[in-house]
Amino acid sequence: MEKEEKEKWLLAGKIGKEIRELGVSLCVPGAKLLDIAEAIEKRTLERGAKPSFPPNISINQIAAHYTPKYDDKTELKEGDIVKIDVGASVDGYLSDTAASVAVGENENKLVIATKEALDSVVKIIKPGMAINEISALIDDTISSFGFSPIVNLGGHGIGKYSLHEGEFISNSKNYSGSFLRKEGVVAVEPFATNRGGYVIDSAEVQIYQFIANRNVRSPLGRSILKYVSDEYRELPFAKRWVINKFGKLAELEIRQLVAAGSLHEFNVLKEKDNGLVSQFEHSFLFDEGNVTVTTL
Ligand code: CO
């Protein structure tokens, strides 16, 4: 790997860690989700990076893909399990990292179990290793606390301007017979729940991704597409960002761009039995046989 390329992966990781820790520090009773997201975004830009994706701030049964609405009024309450899942992009070199907080509590067993699953992966992960070794470690660690891993969420390869590519690193054992890449970046993200361990799409969508310029007639629609593809390429973006830039009419326009096949929607993911969900995540850089946890 080129030295300059490696430095950018590392910087993206360093900023990712910083904004994750900032997000976690803001998770106190009464804090507004919107304020937390905007603080994370502001810090990312101040550090000369862009978000890899909108800060995901998902509470309790919501596992992932929730970012605050432009007028979001949600406040954190004592006992909420909050997932802060964030990442930074340095010229397209990405990080992806998450931590969970039980608001107002020092020790929450579900959060501890998930953190321990990730910490144990940090100790054993090697380039090119069998993915099932990681999956089994996550599954066994979470199960040993009496919880379930979420089987249809997991880690993934990361490429330049590409948040999910290549291998899927399941949180459930005996799922994959393949191997991690030998060079490059992967993210590992254990999710645990106190119920069944399966997430489903909800109807709500706050995060989108550019797919292609289809035949868009509306001038506003064309402006939105140009803006998101110039600004975020094929990385996910928030509806809130588009509304802040183009006004409330953008909301209807986004729906039409989805219908036309120009934008992809990420539905908010919920645990199917309404279980509480906790998540931790790090990004790992493999280079000439060495492992660096870029977000540690
Ligand atoms: Co991820």
Side-chain angles (χ1 to χ4, degrees), residues 53 85 96-97 154-156 163-164 187 189 279 281:
F53 51 89
D85 188 351
D96 186 357
T97 183
H156 47 94
L163 190 58
H164 293 98
E189 48 185 318
Q279 172 207 19
E281 178 175 23

Side-chain angles (χ1 to χ4, degrees), residues 14-15 44 62 74 115 157 172 176-177 189 199 225 230 242 295-296:
K14 193 170 175 226
I15 299 169
T44 308
I62 302 198
T74 317
K115 182 169 191 306
S172 176
S176 171
E189 48 185 318
V199 292
L225 267 192
D230 286 353
V242 177
T295 52
L296 192 64

Side-chain angles (χ1 to χ4, degrees), residues 15 18-19 22 38-51:
I15 299 169
E18 200 177 307
I19 56 178
L22 172 66
E38 288 184 339
I40 290 168
E41 289 160 5
K42 182 163 174 273
R43 177 72 64 85
T44 308
L45 297 175
E46 281 168 2
R47 298 286 271 113
K50 285 183 180 179

Side-chain angles (χ1 to χ4, degrees), residues 5 26 32 34 53 74 78 130 138 153 159 189 207 211 253 255 260:
E5 190 185 351
L26 297 173
K32 283 199 172 65
L34 184 57
F53 51 89
T74 317
E78 194 98 21
I138 291 172
L153 288 176
E189 48 185 318
I207 299 176
I211 305 172
E253 207 64 52
R255 238 175 287 156

